[in-house]
């Protein structure tokens, strides 16, 4: 049986005294330590573990299946000195307070440290706080507790599950497709969802439909527009122009009268304060931040920012949460502040209470500012531009969530034109409520059509009023396929289907892009050929693993482990047994894509044999079926099933220095180069210059684009090996205006777009970024 993890308890029968001589407080982040130390004073020593200290080994499986999935934990490479320092400090401390983040990963970090210290100090405790403020930190250190082993076991179960999937399937993909690929328990299901959506888009057949709007006027201005919606009391769908023209004739001949007027007050409620997934979605929609960037900025705001008037302080509560709960004390303080700032009419009669989903950890709070009076504009000078934008979003969302609803006066008018029915709706804002601070962004629905809900007042209309027809506007429309995923939509669907945890979404999306399984075009995710192939192989061979329903059930099981309702090793066994059978079968039967050849009707111009599609290190390519006698290959792109060959050889205006004939641009395994057009008689080649002189002193070479053995593009001097100057970022032929270094470089950042900066990092010069197109 696996060695059962147990919490490290103090041997002392009484809790530590609040006036301890010296306490060691351990957090996982130096930034967090810097903020906390000023609250605790000299009686406390702060240290940071800098993340996990122990993990499963990288070089071997590290899970003993036969011993009930017993994990083998080792000290992470490079962390031995950190652990040694912590042990030394613990030996000298009166007590040790473990204060990593209040989630599964934080609990596991605390447990691993406690296990290392149990023979050194018998007063090891866990402290928890959801915000890094003086009040929260001081209360936490005065109320220490034990490590939550249910939470630790939930983390262990997830880690072991992910190791089983990654360590077993990834090498199989290396063997069958190409090296460097990976599979993941949640990552592969996210890829499945993207590939399924792409199939839906490609299979979609657009349908024509029409709408007819009538511009009408009554006894008093202004004119208004009503939409045709009924024929003989039945909902109307106009399929084509012929039907639209026939209805247009009937409308032109009809008398228009008001059949019904309905007036009511409509209430629009504020949205709850942020949970992790909603923050990521809204930051993607409104700020065009990737989930990875959003979580990085939120971590900074949580761990502490130096404010001119206060010093280092955590500005938001803990950012990994699925609870919308707000502490009663903070809510009371917020309502008093709102009353003073906006007026008592904006404060609800009873405080707004929002309901979290069933699996939410109600011990946490929603993401909120730690001080309601810290208005974003007051902190603008202390925050970076992006930190400010995210803090403003969080602050606005929270304040709005505590305010009264917005009220609208809505008028709906039904109009009769013989047997045809039209409708118009107008609305007028009566009381702005929470909307003076914030309104939630929305994803557009490509098939929603134009809304019948108009904004603005309608003229005074009464039942029986005769209306004048001023004009008709028939419009042709076509149904649109479902939208491809962007970050906000993907996170919404992952959460809605119960796939993964919001805290992991940023990593999942980044990994799919880094592995080249998906690519982003105009803000939307498209599966690549590689992504489609990997998804197809995984679905064929691991239907029980790459499965939305099964993965969602596993997440529920992990939640139940954390709640102490399930045994963690039994949860892994439930997954492993069917997985092991699938894996054994896949080893024998999974398609070997590396060796597959897909026939085409394209003929090799060198030997007359047909070309076939094969897989290589850099994706699909065309190769002669007569290999190895004929080694002709070509690059290609496939558009709607049609193969288009990409020319490997492009003429240039460079003359060969050896024979005087023209040089041509060619692409080889290490990138582009110039070759003599007289090959094989003349085998002279030259690198392709970028038109940027090598910045090394006394070097007369130019910089050229090359490709490493692993396929990564870099830039090096044409005088190599005499000159070994090289860099990863594309050079720009301009000197730095700040330090006068001969060149600048272009660096692409997925979050910030392309920016130009100095090659000398000590200089620090950065030009304003050129943003990629936003969605």
């Amino acid at each position: 049986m696996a060695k059962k993890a147990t919490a490290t308890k103090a041997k002392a029968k009484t809790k530590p005294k609040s006036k301890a001589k010296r306490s060691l407080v351990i957090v996982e982040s130096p930034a967090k330590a810097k903020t906390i130390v000023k609250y605790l004073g000299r009686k406390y020593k702060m240290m940071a573990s800098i993340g996990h200290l122990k993990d499963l080994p990288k070089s071997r499986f590290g899970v003993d299946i036969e011993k009930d999935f017993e994990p083998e934990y080792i000290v992470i490479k490079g962390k031995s000195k950190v652990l040694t320092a912590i042990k030394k400090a613990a030996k000298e401390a009166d007590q040790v307070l473990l204060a990593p983040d209040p989630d599964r990963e934080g609990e596991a970090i605390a447990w691993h440290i406690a296990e290392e210290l149990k023979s050194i100090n018998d007063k090891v405790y866990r402290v928890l706080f959801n915000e890094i403020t003086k009040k929260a930190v001081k209360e936490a250190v005065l109320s220490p507790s034990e490590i939550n082993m249910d939470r630790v076991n939930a983390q262990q179960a997830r880690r072991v599950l992910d190791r089983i999937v990654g360590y077993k399937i990834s090498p199989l993909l290396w063997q069958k497709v190409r090296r460097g690929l990976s599979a993941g328990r949640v990552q592969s299901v996210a890829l499945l969802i993207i590939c399924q959506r792409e199939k839906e888009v490609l299979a979609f057949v657009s349908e024509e439909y029409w709408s007819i709007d009538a511009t009408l006027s009554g006894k008093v201005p202004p004119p208004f527009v009503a939409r045709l919606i009924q024929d003989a009391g039945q909902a109307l769908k106009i399929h084509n122009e012929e039907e639209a023209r026939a209805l247009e004739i009937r409308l032109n001949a009809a008398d228009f009268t008001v059949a019904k007027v309905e007036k009511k007050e409509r209430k629009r409620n504020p949205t709850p304060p942020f949970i992790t997934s909603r923050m990521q979605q809204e930051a993607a929609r409104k700020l065009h931040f990737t989930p990875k960037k959003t979580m990085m900025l939120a971590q900074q705001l949580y761990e502490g920012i130096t404010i001119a008037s206060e010093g280092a302080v955590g500005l938001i509560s803990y950012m990994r949460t699925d609870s919308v709960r707000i502490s009663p004390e903070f809510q009371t303080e917020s309502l008093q502040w709102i009353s003073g700032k906006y007026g008592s009419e904006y404060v609800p009669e009873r405080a707004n209470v929002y309901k979290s989903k069933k699996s939410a950890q109600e011990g946490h709070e929603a993401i909120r500012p730690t001080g309601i009076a810290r208005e974003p504009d007051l902190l603008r000078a202390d925050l970076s531009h992006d930190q400010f934008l995210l803090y403003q979003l969080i602050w606005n969302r929270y304040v709005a969530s505590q305010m009264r609803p917005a009220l609208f006066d809505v008028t709906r008018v039904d109009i009769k034109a013989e047997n045809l029915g039209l409708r118009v709706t107008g609305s007028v804002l009566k009381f702005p409520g929470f909307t003076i601070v914030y309104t939630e962004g929305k994803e557009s629905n490509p098939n929603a059509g134009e809304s019948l809900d108009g904004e603005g007042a309608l003229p005074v209309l009464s039942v029986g009023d005769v209306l004048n027809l001023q004009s008709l506007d028939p419009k042709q429309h076509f149904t649109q396929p479902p939208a491809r995923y962007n970050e906000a939509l993907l996170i919404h669907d992952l959460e809605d289907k119960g796939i993964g945890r919001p805290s992991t979404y940023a990593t999942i999306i980044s990994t799919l892009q880094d592995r080249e399984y998906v690519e982003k075009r105009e803000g939307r995710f498209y599966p690549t050929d590689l992504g489609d192939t990997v998804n197809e192989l995984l679905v064929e061979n691991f239907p029980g693993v790459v499965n939305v329903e099964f993965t969602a059930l596993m997440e529920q099981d992990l939640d139940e482990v954390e709640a102490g309702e399930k045994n963690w090793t039994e949860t892994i066994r439930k997954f492993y047994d069917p997985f092991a059978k699938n894996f054994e079968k896949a080893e024998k039967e999974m398609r070997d894509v590396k060796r597959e050849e897909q026939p085409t009707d394209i003929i090799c111009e060198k030997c007359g044999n047909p070309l076939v599609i094969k897989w290589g290190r850099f994706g699909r390519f065309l190769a002669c079926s007569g290999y190895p006698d004929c080694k002709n290959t070509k690059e290609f792109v496939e558009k709607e099933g049609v193969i288009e060959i990409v020319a490997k050889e492009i003429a240039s205006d460079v003359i060969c220095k050896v024979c005087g004939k023209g040089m041509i641009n060619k692409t080889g395994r290490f990138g582009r180069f110039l070759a003599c057009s007289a090959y094989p008689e003349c085998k002279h080649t030259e690198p392709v210059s970028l038109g940027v002189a090598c910045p090394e002193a006394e070097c007369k070479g130019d910089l050229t684009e090359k490709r490493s053995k692993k396929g990564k593009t870099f830039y090096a001097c044409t005088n190599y090996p005499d000159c070994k100057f090289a860099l990863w970022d594309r050079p720009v032929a301009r000197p730095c205006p700040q330090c006068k270094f001969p060149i600048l470089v272009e660096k692409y950042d997925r979050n910030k777009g392309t920016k130009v900066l100095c090659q000398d990092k000590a200089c620090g010069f950065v030009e304003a970024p050129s943003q990629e197109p936003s969605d």
Side-chain angles (χ1 to χ4, degrees):
M1 294 292 288
K3 180 183 177 182
K4 185 170 178 62
T6 56
T8 300
K9 301 182 182 180
K11 293 178 182 178
K13 293 182 179 179
T14 57
K15 283 192 174 182
K17 296 179 180 180
S18 58
K19 294 183 178 180
K21 292 180 180 178
R22 183 81 169 168
S23 295
L24 173 63
V25 182
I26 302 173
V27 295
E28 69 276 61
S29 158
K32 190 173 172 182
K34 181 182 176 183
T35 305
I36 293 173
V37 70
K38 73 168 192 171
Y39 300 140
L40 296 180
R42 295 180 180 178
K43 291 184 179 180
Y44 294 85
K45 178 176 181 177
M46 294 296 308
M47 295 190 76
S49 67
I50 316 175
H52 281 274
L53 287 177
K54 299 177 79 173
D55 196 6
L56 299 175
K58 285 189 174 182
S59 59
R60 55 187 181 276
F61 186 41
V63 177
D64 194 329
I65 303 294
E66 303 304 320
K67 291 186 178 180
D68 223 5
F69 306 101
E70 181 178 352
E72 174 196 352
Y73 293 116
I74 64 168
V75 177
I76 296 169
K77 186 178 180 181
K79 292 295 184 74
S80 294
K81 288 184 178 180
V82 177
L83 182 55
T84 300
I86 287 174
K87 284 182 174 180
K88 182 180 178 182
K91 198 171 184 179
E92 299 168 355
D94 179 70
Q95 63 175 349
V96 180
L97 303 177
L98 303 174
D101 289 342
D103 58 11
R104 291 177 189 170
E105 294 301 317
E107 209 70 23
I109 292 171
W111 176 62
H112 284 307
I113 295 172
E115 288 291 291
E116 290 290 328
L117 301 183
K118 63 185 178 183
S119 62
I120 296 173
N121 193 316
D122 61 1
K123 296 179 181 179
V124 179
Y125 301 93
R126 180 76 164 110
V127 293
L128 297 166
F129 37 80
N130 286 310
E131 60 182 66
I132 304 178
T133 58
K134 185 175 184 178
K135 180 175 180 287
V137 170
K138 286 203 164 188
E139 285 179 356
V141 298
L142 293 174
S143 304
S145 60
E146 295 178 0
I147 289 171
N148 183 332
M149 287 313 303
D150 292 326
R151 187 172 289 169
V152 171
N153 288 334
Q155 190 275 345
Q156 288 197 110
R158 183 202 63 77
R159 187 71 185 95
V160 170
L161 285 168
D162 291 346
R163 173 54 63 101
I164 290 170
V165 174
Y167 222 85
K168 295 287 186 182
I169 299 181
S170 297
L172 197 57
L173 293 176
W174 289 27
Q175 178 187 339
K176 303 291 186 179
V177 186
R178 82 176 196 201
R179 291 184 64 83
L181 302 183
S182 71
R185 183 177 57 87
V186 178
Q187 166 198 314
S188 299
V189 177
L191 176 61
L192 168 68
I193 291 172
I194 294 173
C195 290
Q196 286 177 334
R197 176 58 57 87
E198 187 66 16
K199 287 180 180 178
E200 291 172 14
V201 172
L202 296 177
F204 184 82
V205 179
S206 183
E207 294 182 5
E208 179 185 10
Y209 70 98
W210 286 68
S211 65
I212 300 178
D213 289 340
T215 301
L216 303 167
S217 59
K219 294 177 183 177
V220 294
F224 59 93
V225 177
R227 172 75 51 84
L228 179 62
I229 61 168
Q230 289 181 339
D231 187 0
Q234 301 297 314
L236 179 64
K237 185 174 182 181
I238 310 171
H239 298 91
N240 50 50
E241 184 177 8
E242 184 180 354
E243 291 180 8
R245 297 306 175 199
L247 289 166
E248 191 178 5
I249 292 170
R250 289 171 62 187
L251 287 168
N252 275 316
D255 294 323
F256 291 78
T257 56
V258 176
K260 183 179 179 182
V261 178
E262 185 179 76
K263 295 183 178 181
K264 61 181 179 180
E265 183 181 83
R266 191 178 70 190
K267 185 187 294 185
R268 185 190 297 171
N269 291 316
T271 46
F274 280 135
I275 58 176
T276 305
S277 57
R278 296 288 189 271
M279 177 181 69
Q280 292 173 342
Q281 292 172 53
E282 196 74 341
R285 279 192 291 254
K286 288 194 169 185
L287 307 179
H288 305 293
F289 288 174
T290 64
K292 185 176 180 179
K293 179 176 181 178
T294 298
M295 294 307 290
M296 176 193 71
L297 293 168
Q299 185 90 30
Q300 294 167 0
L301 295 173
Y302 165 70
E303 291 186 341
I305 301 291
T306 300
I307 305 300
S309 58
E310 300 181 65
V313 61
L315 295 179
I316 64 170
S317 57
Y318 190 54
M319 66 286 164
R320 294 185 181 91
T321 177
D322 52 6
S323 170
V324 293
R325 185 185 72 84
I326 298 296
S327 71
E329 297 82 5
F330 193 80
Q331 195 165 38
T332 299
E333 178 188 338
S334 301
L335 295 177
Q336 291 171 352
W337 187 88
I338 290 169
S339 179
K341 176 74 174 180
Y342 298 105
S344 59
E345 65 272 22
Y346 285 90
V347 178
E349 291 181 9
R350 287 186 293 180
N352 296 334
V353 178
Y354 299 97
K355 188 176 180 181
S356 300
K357 63 182 181 179
K358 186 179 177 181
S359 61
Q361 300 177 37
E362 286 299 319
H364 290 177
E365 287 190 59
I367 302 169
R368 59 166 176 82
T370 56
I372 188 70
R374 292 193 191 100
E375 297 178 64
D377 284 338
L378 299 178
L379 305 181
R380 188 186 288 267
D382 300 304
L383 302 175
S384 71
H385 177 68
D386 290 341
Q387 286 173 342
F388 170 78
L389 291 177
L390 185 61
Y391 179 72
Q392 183 182 53
L393 189 71
I394 293 168
W395 190 93
N396 287 350
R397 172 84 167 217
Y398 170 72
V399 172
S401 75
Q402 303 305 305
M403 299 175 79
R404 277 184 180 269
L407 299 177
F408 297 83
D409 282 331
V410 180
T411 303
R412 191 176 80 178
V413 180
D414 288 345
I415 299 160
K416 188 176 180 182
E418 306 304 338
N419 285 333
L420 299 172
L422 298 90
R423 178 171 292 168
V424 60
T425 303
S427 66
V428 177
L429 181 64
K430 183 179 180 180
F431 175 68
F434 73 94
T435 63
I436 64 169
V437 177
Y438 173 87
T439 53
E440 186 176 41
K442 299 290 182 184
E443 288 292 330
S444 60
N445 181 349
N447 291 311
E450 295 176 22
S451 173
L452 293 173
D453 293 338
E455 291 188 2
L458 294 174
V460 177
L461 297 170
S462 302
V463 174
D465 282 358
V466 177
L467 304 173
N468 298 315
L469 174 64
Q470 294 190 351
S471 63
L472 292 173
D473 183 17
K475 285 184 180 177
Q476 183 186 41
H477 308 273
F478 292 92
T479 56
Q480 298 298 310
R484 289 182 173 90
Y485 284 111
N486 56 17
E487 279 95 347
L489 276 174
L490 183 57
I491 290 169
H492 175 274
D493 275 15
L494 288 172
E495 183 185 32
D496 190 54
K497 297 175 190 296
I499 304 301
R501 302 291 296 179
S503 58
T504 65
Y505 293 156
T507 303
I508 291 166
I509 293 171
S510 293
T511 301
L512 290 176
Q513 292 176 273
D514 293 342
R515 294 286 182 268
E516 299 178 356
Y517 292 160
V518 302
E519 60 185 9
K520 201 173 178 186
R521 295 184 230 150
E522 298 180 346
R524 300 284 172 172
F525 291 122
Y526 290 72
T528 61
D529 285 341
L530 178 62
D532 266 329
T533 300
V534 168
N535 176 65
E536 190 177 315
L537 291 175
L538 294 178
V539 171
E540 284 176 1
N541 294 277
F542 299 95
V545 177
V546 186
N547 177 288
V548 171
E549 291 75 20
F550 181 79
T551 306
L553 286 173
M554 285 302 304
E555 292 299 334
Q556 291 179 24
D557 287 345
L558 292 175
D559 288 338
E560 290 173 11
V561 170
E562 183 169 355
E565 297 168 4
K566 280 194 174 178
N567 179 281
W568 73 278
T569 55
E570 290 175 4
T571 299
I572 298 174
R573 177 67 63 189
K574 171 184 170 183
F575 169 88
Y576 183 76
D577 288 344
F579 171 82
K581 292 177 182 177
N582 285 335
F583 181 75
E584 186 178 352
K585 185 179 178 183
E587 281 188 303
K588 300 172 184 175
E589 299 181 7
M590 181 183 278
R591 287 165 41 213
D592 193 337
V593 176
K594 278 184 179 179
R595 291 175 173 78
E596 279 185 349
E597 295 184 355
Q598 181 183 334
T600 73
D601 56 3
I602 303 171
I603 302 301
C604 175
E605 75 280 8
K606 293 185 177 180
C607 70
N609 284 313
L611 298 181
V612 294
I613 297 173
K614 300 182 75 172
W615 271 92
R617 290 176 60 195
F618 307 116
R620 298 194 302 168
F621 66 98
L622 286 169
C624 183
S625 57
Y627 178 86
D629 297 327
C630 178
K631 297 179 180 178
N632 187 21
T633 62
K634 296 180 182 294
E635 295 181 27
F636 75 96
V637 293
E638 190 170 6
K639 297 179 180 178
E640 298 180 357
V642 178
I643 294 174
E644 295 181 8
I645 294 174
V646 177
K648 266 188 164 183
E649 301 181 356
I650 303 171
S652 77
D653 55 4
V654 179
I655 301 301
C656 178
K657 298 174 182 176
V658 175
C659 69
K661 294 191 176 179
M663 304 281 282
I664 54 177
N665 283 286
K666 301 187 76 172
T667 302
R669 61 182 301 200
F670 297 120
R672 295 186 302 138
F673 65 97
L674 289 169
C676 182
S677 58
Y679 179 85
E681 287 77 17
C682 178
K683 297 181 180 179
H684 178 66
T685 62
E686 294 179 15
V688 177
S689 172
L690 297 173
V692 181
C694 177
E696 291 286 7
E698 300 181 5
C699 179
K700 304 297 184 183
D702 291 328
L703 297 184
T704 182
E705 179 183 306
K706 293 192 173 185
R707 197 157 60 192
S708 70
K709 291 182 179 180
K710 292 186 177 181
K712 187 174 180 181
T713 299
F714 71 99
Y715 304 90
C717 182
T718 53
N719 283 341
Y720 178 84
D722 296 328
C723 177
K724 292 183 170 61
F725 179 83
L727 64 164
W728 290 113
D729 302 315
R730 187 176 186 86
V732 178
R734 283 191 284 134
C736 174
Q738 192 163 288
C739 73
K740 308 306 178 187
F741 191 80
I743 63 168
L744 296 170
V745 294
E746 282 184 350
K747 193 174 187 71
Y748 177 73
D749 184 301
R750 189 183 295 149
N751 296 322
K752 298 182 179 179
T754 300
K755 57 185 178 181
V756 176
L757 63 158
C758 184
Q759 164 63 14
D760 185 353
K761 292 181 180 179
C763 169
F765 170 76
V766 181
E767 270 187 358
S770 170
Q771 290 289 343
E772 62 181 337
S774 59
D775 178 36

